[in-house]
Amino acid sequence: MPRRLAEAIGSRRLEALTYVQEANLRARGTAWQAAVRAGTAAGGFTDVLEPEELFALHLNRGFAHMGVLHLDESERDVDAALALADHEGAQELRYKAIHNRGCLAYVRGDLPRALALMREADELPVEVARDR
């Protein structure tokens, strides 16, 4: 419904945000293929997204790619998210990207790197939930 409304009023930005949000929700629900599709669709709107929204796009799509074992695509997205976080000086976002890099290293079977990345993220002075 929100996407149809965005299309009806001609708001590319709102339409883009519906795809970003769908990718997030699908990934959280482990509907990996659907999350990849929504994230890929959102990628067609990068010109209208703010840096934090672009970060969310890359982080969620990277996580979804990890879920379907498209590990090179996942790495590209997570690295893009980290670059955005660094460019914006956003430490909380940096934490999330480094944490996801750790998850990716774990999925690749590199436990020492995964633990090192998780430690790097955990040492950042940010207020984030660390319960995962």
Side-chain angles (χ1 to χ4, degrees):
M1 173 81 94
R3 187 167 302 136
R4 281 184 273 178
L5 177 60
E7 292 168 350
I9 64 174
S11 175
R12 288 187 74 241
R13 185 162 189 282
L14 184 56
E15 187 178 353
L17 292 174
T18 68
Y19 283 114
V20 171
Q21 186 63 26
E22 180 183 350
N24 178 30
L25 293 172
R26 300 281 189 194
R28 288 185 182 273
T30 67
W32 304 120
Q33 290 289 356
V36 169
R37 283 192 300 275
T40 300
F45 296 89
T46 58
D47 59 315
V48 297
L49 294 173
E50 297 294 323
E52 218 170 297
E53 297 157 351
L54 281 169
F55 174 87
L57 163 63
H58 287 296
L59 195 73
N60 292 325
R61 188 172 61 194
F63 192 61
H65 277 300
M66 195 183 321
V68 294
L69 300 178
H70 297 160
L71 303 184
D72 291 339
E73 292 90 339
S74 177
E75 185 173 12
R76 278 192 290 277
D77 271 322
V78 172
D79 286 351
L82 181 58
L84 280 164
D86 286 343
H87 183 265
E88 296 297 311
Q91 290 299 305
E92 184 176 314
L93 300 182
R94 192 166 193 280
Y95 170 90
K96 293 175 182 181
I98 293 170
H99 180 272
N100 278 24
R101 283 176 120 193
C103 293
L104 180 58
Y106 177 77
V107 170
R108 286 187 187 267
D110 189 346
L111 186 58
R113 178 158 170 71
L115 292 172
L117 287 164
M118 295 291 184
R119 180 177 296 122
E120 179 184 345
D122 195 50
E123 290 174 351
L124 291 173
V126 294
E127 295 288 325
V128 296
R130 289 174 163 85
D131 56 348
R132 288 190 190 180

